[in-house]
Amino acid sequence: PPPETLFRQSPKTTSFSYVIDRNRRFMSFTTFGGLSDFFSNKSHSYHYDPENGVIVELLENEVQNEFMRPFLEMIRQRSTMSDDQAKIAISLVQRVPYNGNRYTRTTTDWYYPYETLHNNKGSAADKSVLLAYILNELGFETVLFEFPGHMAVGVKSSSRYSFYDTGYAYIETT
């Protein structure tokens, strides 16, 4: 069968919660085990491209983009204001359960954003890569802050909110 058919095997619907305007809300989204399995067989070690400043294999993948578009549209439909869309995305990823028990992988061996969403759990790095992906696709300029044994997201901001004069506000995903 064609890959598109294999990708759509084993559908799983997950309810993701988020808070906006002090109200807890939910968003259900269906992911596919077939696509998650496809990504699990690919390399998970990131390849940093200094010219573009992105983690190429994890963040720029057309198959992933195709299957994540409906998720991104669900976020966009919840508010026409881009700041609220960012708040929804941040809250949603922060509520994905933390899984810090994966010490068998290297510090540069992270899940694809789609896998983290499908598994509904991830390490600080997995959750940060997911949030950076979502915010970037929503039109925000993002960076990943790497620390020994930890990762967080930065979103382009005014100097008032800048983390150590980087030009990016610090967002903790765990």
Side-chain angles (χ1 to χ4, degrees):
E4 301 80 41
T5 304
L6 296 174
F7 292 161
R8 295 189 183 278
Q9 291 181 347
S10 304
K12 175 176 104 173
T13 301
T14 304
S15 180
F16 296 97
S17 71
Y18 62 94
V19 174
I20 187 81
D21 298 327
R22 298 183 181 175
N23 293 309
R24 188 173 187 175
R25 300 192 179 150
F26 297 89
M27 188 169 101
S28 292
F29 184 68
T30 301
T31 57
F32 299 93
L35 183 57
S36 186
D37 290 346
F38 169 76
F39 285 127
S40 72
N41 291 320
K42 294 179 74 64
S43 171
H44 286 76
S45 294
Y46 81 81
H47 305 285
Y48 184 75
D49 179 349
E51 188 172 305
N52 294 321
V54 296
I55 300 170
V56 177
E57 293 298 317
L58 297 176
L59 297 178
E60 294 183 6
N61 182 293
E62 193 50 46
V63 173
Q64 176 171 255
N65 292 348
E66 177 185 336
F67 281 83
M68 290 290 284
R69 276 187 198 107
F71 184 77
L72 297 163
E73 278 308 308
M74 291 174 81
I75 293 172
R76 285 185 183 107
Q77 289 172 358
R78 280 160 171 68
S79 179
T80 57
M81 296 173 48
S82 63
D83 284 356
D84 283 347
Q85 292 172 2
K87 290 175 188 176
I88 291 167
I90 293 164
S91 178
L92 190 145
V93 172
Q94 287 174 335
R95 284 168 174 66
V96 168
Y98 176 71
N99 179 19
N101 297 328
R102 294 184 299 111
Y103 295 108
T104 57
R105 295 186 352 201
T106 67
T107 57
T108 59
D109 188 22
W110 310 320
Y111 284 136
Y112 282 76
Y114 188 88
E115 288 178 290
T116 303
L117 201 62
H118 177 77
N119 295 333
N120 193 29
K121 64 182 176 183
S123 68
D126 298 327
K127 291 173 55 152
S128 293
V129 169
L130 171 61
L131 181 58
Y133 174 86
I134 293 170
L135 290 175
N136 191 47
E137 292 297 315
L138 290 173
F140 293 89
E141 186 177 327
T142 61
V143 296
L144 293 168
F145 291 123
E146 275 189 274
F147 306 97
H150 190 65
M151 183 180 283
V153 175
V155 64
K156 189 75 169 166
S157 69
S158 70
S159 60
R160 178 179 177 196
Y161 301 106
S162 180
F163 178 67
Y164 288 101
D165 295 323
T166 60
Y168 293 86
Y170 180 94
I171 302 170
E172 181 58 58
T173 58
T174 58

